[in-house]
Amino acid sequence: MSINPDLQGRSYPAAEVYEVGREKVREFARAVKATHPAHFDVEAAQALGHADLVAPPTFAIIVAQRADAQLIEDPASGIDFSRVVHADQRFTHHRPIVSGDRLVAELHVDTVRGMGGGAMITTRSEISTVDGEKVATTTSSILVRGEGQ
């Protein structure tokens, strides 16, 4: 199945809420080797003016990937995940993610560009709190290889 060019411009609404927990922040910080005390110690984070533990900047990928799954799982997309190569990921933070945040992400398909038998797809996830406060914007590009590539 080929990639549906009509995906460009499509949006997927915010779905399930992701609750940022202290232990998730600590686990992620360990995994990415982020060592700042504000990722592990509530008092250290509060001394910097935050309400709770501060997540490393790339923590936003957890919420963004949940939004990306809507596109990948959409039968109309034509995307075979076994043929996907991740090409690029960018983050714009509007404020730090902290433990206790309840986040949602709305996914936008910004571009679909045919490349040989495959396609390059660029998406944007707008991450916000359930109350509508903007937290981060992630932009991701994936290459979906065509058959025989």
Side-chain angles (χ1 to χ4, degrees):
M1 179 179 224
S2 63
I3 303 306
N4 181 354
D6 294 334
L7 288 174
Q8 185 166 314
R10 185 174 293 182
S11 293
Y12 294 83
E16 81 181 84
V17 175
Y18 183 86
E19 296 194 26
V20 181
R22 287 180 179 166
E23 204 51 42
K24 291 294 183 186
V25 169
R26 290 178 180 125
E27 289 170 355
F28 190 89
R30 281 186 208 98
V32 298
K33 303 203 183 317
T35 59
H36 196 284
H39 302 313
F40 300 95
D41 180 55
V42 175
E43 289 179 8
Q46 289 173 338
L48 294 172
H50 302 288
D52 212 307
L53 297 182
V54 179
T58 54
F59 189 90
I61 194 64
I62 293 172
V63 182
Q65 284 183 335
R66 289 171 169 237
D68 289 341
Q70 292 181 88
L71 171 64
I72 301 298
E73 294 167 2
D74 182 350
S77 73
I79 297 172
D80 173 356
F81 192 69
S82 71
R83 305 197 66 72
V84 169
V85 177
H86 192 258
D88 187 41
Q89 186 75 48
R90 297 177 190 200
F91 300 89
T92 302
H93 293 276
H94 309 296
R95 71 146 173 90
I97 294 173
V98 296
S99 294
D101 278 342
R102 299 183 71 234
L103 303 175
V104 292
E106 180 176 82
L107 183 71
H108 303 273
V109 181
D110 288 340
T111 60
V112 176
R113 182 171 39 114
M115 298 181 70
M120 180 72 76
I121 302 171
T122 301
T123 61
R124 175 176 37 91
S125 291
E126 296 293 348
I127 302 171
S128 62
T129 66
V130 293
D131 297 325
E133 180 185 6
K134 290 181 79 169
V135 175
T137 302
T138 67
T139 304
S140 177
S141 295
I142 60 171
L143 173 63
V144 183
R145 296 175 294 123
E147 296 294 323
Q149 293 181 322

